[in-house]
Amino acid sequence: MNTVTGREAPSYDDGSNPATSTDSTQPDLDRSLAHIRLQAMRLRDGLASQVEEDGLVRDRCGSRVLESALLLSLLRKTSTLPHVHDGLADYLRNARPDGPMDTMIVEAAMGRPGQHDRAVAYLDEFRHHSGARKRLMLSTLLSLTGVMPIGTNTDAHALHYQGYAAWTELSLCAIKILHGHAHGGHAAVSSADRDYLAGRLESAGPGQVWEGNALAHLIALHALHACQPDSPLLHGGIAALCRIRNSDGGLPFISGQEIFVTALAGKALAAARAPRSLLIQMADRISGLQQRDGGWGYTETTAQTDVDDTAVCVEFLRIADTARYRQVVARAEQYLGGMADPRGGFSTYVRGHQREVDMTAGAVMALSASWQDHAPLVDKCVDFLLCAQRDDGTFENSWTRSRSSAIHRVLDALRHIPPALADRSARIAHATSASTGYLARTQNPDGGWGYHPGKDSDVVSTAHALPVIAHTGHRHTLRRGLHYLLTHQNADGGYTSVPDQVGPRPLPFDYPVLADVHVLNAFTQLHHAPPTATTAPKQPAPTRPTGAAEEPAP
C-alpha cells in the first residue's frame, strides 16, 4: 500500500489478472470483476493494517511547495536553523511544481527573477466564489515567497477578519497586519489586531501547529515577525512547524487529517466486510472526538468543525453500529440542521456562507437515514443539487480537483433520497444521464479519467468515475476503466495517485492513503451495482432538457 506499515499483504493472484492476459487491451468484464474481488481483499487487508491501536488512520500529508517556501523565507528573515534552511532549499530545488503558482514560487526561492509579470497574469485569470478575499490571500502568499512585491492597493484599515473559519480569520488578520506594516509602518497596525494574532497563536499550546494548519500558522508568523520580531511565539512556532517536516525536507499543508481519513477508510472497510471489532475500534475513537457543538473537524488538534467531516463521520458511525452511536449521531444531526441554509444547501464552515454542492451532497447522505425528521430540509437540498448541475453534466468541484469526484458524490446523494421524494425521479434520471454522458465523453484512450478533460488519467478520478458508470453506463466504458485501475496497481497491491484534495482552494495537497480508500470504495460499489446496459449512455443536449432520461436511476 502507499504507506502501509507491518506485514505485506499476501498475494491473491489466481491467474485471472486481466493485466497479464493475452487480450489485455479489452479484458473480459466478468474476469475483471472476479479479479477485483481478490484485489479488494488485498486493499482491505492493507488498509486495515494502517489502523493504529487507538483506532485512527494517521497518514502523512505530502510536502508542498508553498508551505516549504514560506518556512524557508521565515528562516531567512530570522537567520535561524541553517540545517533546516538547507533541507527546505533542497526540497524546493528538486520539487515537481503542481501548477503555475508552484513554478513561480520555486523560481523565486531559487533566486531566479522575472516572476512579477507572470504572477500578475495568474492573479488576473483567477476566479473563485470568494472573489477579492481569495485573490488578496494568494497575492500576499506570492509576496511572502518572493515572487512579487506586496500590493500597494490594499487598504489595511478596511480589512475585516471576523465571521469566517478559524484559519481564514487568523490568515486575514495576519494579512491585514502585513499590509498595514508594509505601507504605514508599526503605527499603522492596531493593538487589537496584534493582540488577536498573538492570542490565537498562544492557543496552539507548546510545540503544536496551530489548529493543525501549517499554512495559517506560517502566515501568522510572518505577520508576527513584522510587528513583534522578538516574540517567543515566533521561534516557538517555527520549532513546531519544523517538527512536522517530512523526510524529503519539505513541509506539508496540514499536520494531520486523521478524523476525515479514518471515517472514509471506515466506510470503505465496512463495505469490504472488515472485522466488526476493527470497525468498532475505529468508530469508538471517532465518536469520542465529537466536539461540543456536535460536529467534527479534520484532525484531533482543531476546534473548528465543518459539514464535510461531520457528514462522513455520521455515515461511518451509522454503518458501524446504529444503536451504539445513536446519541452521538443525534447530536451530529442537530449540528447539521443548524448549519443548513434556509433555502436548502450547506456551506462548509459557517451557516449563511456560499452554498456548496459537495457539502450538500454529504449532508443529504448523512441525514437520509432519518429523513422523516429532516424531510423539508432534504427536499430543499435535493432541489439545490439538481439546479446546481451544469449543462455538460458536471458540478462545482469544491474541495477536490476531480470532476468525477463531485459527480460521484452528488449521484450517490440522489440515490440515497427517500421514496417520498420520488416525484423528482424524472429530474434525477436526467441529471444521472447528463453526468454519465459527460464521463463517457471524457474517458481517456487508456481507459482512465483525469481530474479535468485533457488531463492525464489518474487513479482517484478513475475510482470516482467507475461506480457512476457501473450504475448507469455501458459495459465497454466500464471494462476499459477497470483495466486502467488493474494495470496501475502497485506491486504491493496499493495505489498511487496525483493530489486530489485542495486547500485553500484551488491549491492541491496529497494524502497518499486516500488513493487506496477511494479504489477500495469503488471496487465494493461495483459489486453492489452490476452493469446491465449494453449500449452507450444517452448523450444530453447542450442545454438542460426537462424530459426523463433513457434509464431511471436505480
Side-chain angles (χ1 to χ4, degrees):
M1 307 298 147
N2 291 316
T3 54
V4 171
T5 56
R7 65 178 180 85
E8 184 176 348
S11 172
Y12 293 95
D13 190 359
D14 63 351
S16 64
N17 187 347
T20 60
S21 71
T22 57
D23 186 21
S24 62
T25 57
Q26 291 194 1
D28 177 79
L29 182 56
D30 292 335
R31 292 179 64 204
S32 296
L33 290 172
H35 184 68
I36 278 175
R37 292 185 181 94
L38 299 174
Q39 299 315 313
M41 291 170 62
R42 296 184 71 190
L43 275 174
R44 180 196 65 194
D45 293 345
L47 190 56
S49 73
Q50 297 188 66
V51 180
E52 299 186 4
E53 290 185 3
D54 67 352
L56 295 178
V57 178
R58 288 187 178 85
D59 194 20
R60 292 186 68 86
C61 181
S63 298
R64 201 161 69 166
V65 164
L66 173 59
E67 286 75 16
S68 302
L70 285 170
L71 181 55
L72 179 62
S73 173
L74 197 58
L75 295 182
R76 287 171 172 168
K77 289 177 180 178
T78 57
S79 301
T80 57
L81 304 178
H83 65 290
V84 177
H85 173 288
D86 293 344
L88 290 165
D90 285 342
Y91 165 76
L92 290 170
R93 191 174 295 111
N94 298 311
R96 296 179 60 184
D98 193 337
M101 185 167 173
D102 273 6
T103 300
M104 290 184 290
I105 290 173
V106 168
E107 293 288 319
M110 295 298 101
R112 293 189 282 268
Q115 309 306 313
H116 179 268
D117 290 344
R118 293 169 62 191
V120 171
Y122 171 74
L123 293 171
D124 285 344
E125 293 175 359
F126 178 75
R127 297 291 183 273
H128 190 262
H129 67 72
S130 56
R133 172 169 58 84
K134 182 59 67 69
R135 180 188 167 97
L136 173 63
M137 180 174 289
L138 291 177
S139 66
T140 304
L141 292 172
L142 290 172
S143 72
L144 292 175
T145 53
V147 173
M148 61 190 300
I150 195 164
T152 58
N153 297 325
T154 301
D155 180 5
H157 295 289
L159 289 177
H160 301 285
Y161 49 84
Q162 301 286 351
Y164 299 99
W167 30 82
T168 304
E169 290 183 342
L170 180 63
S171 298
L172 287 174
C173 176
I175 289 170
K176 181 177 184 178
I177 290 172
L178 286 163
H179 281 265
H181 194 271
H183 302 308
H186 188 79
V189 180
S190 74
S191 60
D193 295 330
R194 291 193 296 268
D195 290 346
Y196 181 89
L197 184 81
R200 285 295 182 99
L201 291 175
E202 285 174 351
S203 70
Q208 296 296 314
V209 174
W210 183 83
E211 290 280 309
N213 192 310
L215 177 58
H217 203 158
L218 280 161
I219 300 171
L221 292 179
H222 276 275
L224 191 66
H225 178 266
C227 64
Q228 299 179 33
D230 297 327
S231 171
L233 292 170
L234 177 61
H235 297 286
I238 290 174
L241 289 163
C242 288
R243 290 190 189 100
I244 67 166
R245 285 172 65 223
N246 289 321
S247 58
D248 60 8
L251 192 69
F253 163 48
I254 50 180
S255 63
Q257 197 180 203
E258 60 275 5
I259 293 177
F260 181 73
V261 170
T262 300
L264 274 183
K267 287 177 57 183
L269 287 168
R273 300 183 179 180
R276 184 177 185 275
S277 59
L278 176 67
L279 300 177
I280 294 300
Q281 177 189 9
M282 299 168 73
D284 278 352
R285 182 61 174 148
I286 289 294
S287 67
L289 291 170
Q290 187 178 36
Q291 301 273 12
R292 290 183 179 180
D293 63 3
W296 282 267
Y298 63 88
T299 182
E300 295 172 279
T301 60
T302 179
Q304 174 70 65
T305 55
D306 63 83
V307 168
D308 197 17
D309 291 288
T310 301
V312 74
C313 285
V314 167
E315 286 187 85
F316 172 49
L317 294 178
R318 276 214 180 92
I319 293 170
D321 193 319
T322 302
R324 185 183 184 95
Y325 306 109
R326 189 181 307 278
Q327 292 184 350
V328 175
V329 168
R331 291 180 59 215
E333 288 184 354
Q334 187 174 13
Y335 168 86
L336 290 172
M339 289 289 289
D341 191 284
R343 300 167 294 170
F346 288 79
S347 57
T348 305
Y349 300 111
V350 180
R351 185 177 187 264
H353 281 197
Q354 178 84 13
R355 295 179 293 169
E356 300 179 53
V357 169
D358 197 19
M359 300 303 101
T360 303
V364 166
M365 288 189 281
L367 297 172
S368 61
S370 55
W371 68 271
Q372 296 93 336
D373 300 327
H374 311 285
L377 170 59
V378 173
D379 186 62
K380 291 179 181 178
C381 287
V382 170
D383 263 342
F384 170 73
L385 291 175
L386 291 171
C387 292
Q389 188 177 41
R390 297 163 175 157
D391 290 336
D392 65 355
T394 63
F395 298 88
E396 178 196 12
N397 289 52
S398 191
W399 295 100
T400 66
R401 289 203 290 184
S402 169
R403 291 187 179 177
S404 60
S405 173
I407 289 172
H408 183 199
R409 184 91 155 153
V410 172
L411 295 191
D412 262 1
L414 295 178
R415 279 193 288 269
H416 277 75
I417 67 168
L421 300 180
D423 63 310
R424 286 180 174 76
S425 59
R427 293 178 66 195
I428 292 172
H430 168 68
T432 302
S433 178
S435 290
T436 309
Y438 168 84
L439 292 176
R441 294 192 302 273
T442 57
Q443 187 177 30
N444 285 330
D446 62 5
W449 282 265
Y451 58 86
H452 282 179
K455 296 293 184 181
D456 290 342
S457 298
D458 67 80
V459 164
V460 169
S461 297
T462 303
H464 283 300
L466 284 180
V468 178
I469 294 296
H471 274 284
T472 59
H474 74 308
R475 298 173 71 89
H476 180 65
T477 305
L478 179 61
R479 180 172 56 210
R480 293 175 59 224
L482 292 176
H483 183 241
Y484 174 86
L485 282 186
L486 291 175
T487 54
H488 283 76
Q489 193 169 28
N490 297 333
D492 64 1
Y495 284 86
T496 303
S497 190
V498 299
D500 182 59
Q501 292 180 284
V502 292
R505 292 172 284 193
L507 307 178
F509 67 98
D510 188 29
Y511 263 82
V513 71
L514 289 180
D516 289 350
V517 171
H518 291 311
V519 173
L520 179 57
N521 183 59
F523 283 173
T524 55
Q525 284 198 29
L526 291 177
H527 291 292
H528 295 154
T532 56
T534 57
T535 59
K538 184 177 180 180
Q539 304 297 315
T543 56
R544 192 187 315 278
T546 57
E550 180 179 336
E551 251 186 284

